[in-house]
């Protein structure tokens, strides 16, 4: 079983991962409107990853004989309209998710749940990768500036990203 406070914190994070999925789905739609199929693919993989992050916790809560409680998923607020502005928001969002994973670890520490801490280690490492991956695209977009040919080359590169179902925990 899980401590009730930790159970609530897991449920909150499941909601945040599902919101991330929804946010990236919204961004995918914007890139589809821009006719940039490589970016669309990048966000498609991101959407699948976020679902996997949510389901990893969903399954774990059940494995611990605790209860999953689903809440409403907020409407995604997409602030920018250019690839650069959107990726700035993605990085900001991933940094926020990292802070929430750390807060979840804090609760697991507080209730001295060593198994949950060990499970959450995977998410800590994943957030390092997430931020590095997004930061890489953002850095390239900054270099590209207004160069449309370079943007199309990046789009081709992002078309090669594939989803690999993660083994979580
Ligand atoms: Fe589930 Fe992108 O963090």
């Amino acid at each position: 079983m899980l401590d009730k406070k930790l159970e609530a914190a897991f449920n909150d994070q499941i909601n945040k991962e599902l919101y991330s999925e929804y946010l990236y789905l919204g961004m995918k739609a914007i890139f589809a409107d821009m006719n940039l199929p490589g970016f669309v693919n990048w966000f498609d993989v991101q959407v699948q990853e976020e679902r996997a992050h949510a389901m990893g916790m969903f399954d774990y809560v059940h494995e611990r004989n605790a209860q999953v409680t689903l809440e409403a998923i907020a409407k995604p607020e997409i602030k920018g309209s250019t690839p650069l502005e959107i990726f700035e928001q993605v990085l900001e969002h991933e940094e926020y998710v990292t802070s929430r994973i750390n807060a979840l670890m804090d609760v697991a520490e507080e209730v001295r749940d060593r198994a949950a801490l060990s499970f959450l280690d995977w998410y800590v490492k994943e957030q390092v990768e997430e931020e590095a991956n997004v930061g890489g695209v953002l850095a390239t977009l900054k270099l590209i500036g207004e160069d449309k040919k370079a943007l199309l080359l990046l789009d081709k590169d992002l078309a090669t990203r594939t989803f690999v179902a993660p083994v979580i925990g």
Side-chain angles (χ1 to χ4, degrees):
M1 62 165 283
L2 280 178
D3 175 279
K4 280 289 162 200
K5 188 173 175 186
L6 185 55
E7 181 186 76
F10 263 109
N11 275 307
D12 185 56
Q13 190 59 34
I14 288 170
N15 185 270
K16 289 194 166 47
E17 299 293 345
L18 292 173
Y19 174 77
S20 301
E21 179 188 11
Y22 209 34
L23 176 68
Y24 296 144
L25 192 58
M27 290 175 173
K28 175 180 161 174
I30 291 178
F31 281 102
D33 289 343
M34 284 187 219
N35 246 325
L36 290 168
F39 280 87
V40 169
N41 174 65
W42 191 93
F43 277 96
D44 191 45
V45 172
Q46 199 67 13
V47 162
Q48 293 178 76
E49 285 200 351
E50 297 305 344
R51 170 56 66 97
H53 296 167
M55 291 313 295
M57 289 188 186
F58 182 103
D59 292 341
Y60 184 72
V61 169
H62 282 135
E63 200 182 334
R64 296 291 304 272
N65 293 326
Q67 206 163 13
V68 167
T69 311
L70 295 179
E71 301 291 346
I73 301 168
K75 178 181 174 183
E77 295 294 342
I78 300 169
K79 298 175 200 160
S81 55
T82 67
L84 179 65
E85 289 166 346
I86 290 172
F87 267 84
E88 278 169 342
Q89 186 182 351
V90 175
L91 184 58
E92 192 182 295
H93 182 70
E94 286 302 331
E95 287 169 351
Y96 168 69
V97 172
T98 300
S99 76
R100 298 318 303 162
I101 296 286
N102 288 337
L104 180 53
M105 292 282 267
D106 288 345
V107 178
E109 251 166 23
E110 191 189 319
V111 302
R112 302 174 63 82
D113 191 324
R114 293 184 195 286
L117 283 168
S118 159
F119 170 76
L120 286 169
D121 265 343
W122 184 89
Y123 285 86
V124 173
K125 290 184 198 128
E126 174 70 0
Q127 281 312 118
V128 174
E129 256 184 52
E130 289 273 77
E131 287 187 29
N133 190 2
V134 175
V137 179
L138 182 58
T140 307
L141 281 168
K142 283 181 180 162
L143 280 175
I144 284 173
E146 298 299 314
D147 185 342
K148 294 271 184 278
K149 274 189 192 155
L151 182 67
L152 290 177
L153 280 178
L154 174 61
D155 188 62
K156 273 205 166 64
D157 189 34
L158 298 185
T160 61
R161 188 183 188 199
T162 53
F163 174 67
V164 179
V167 180
I168 298 177

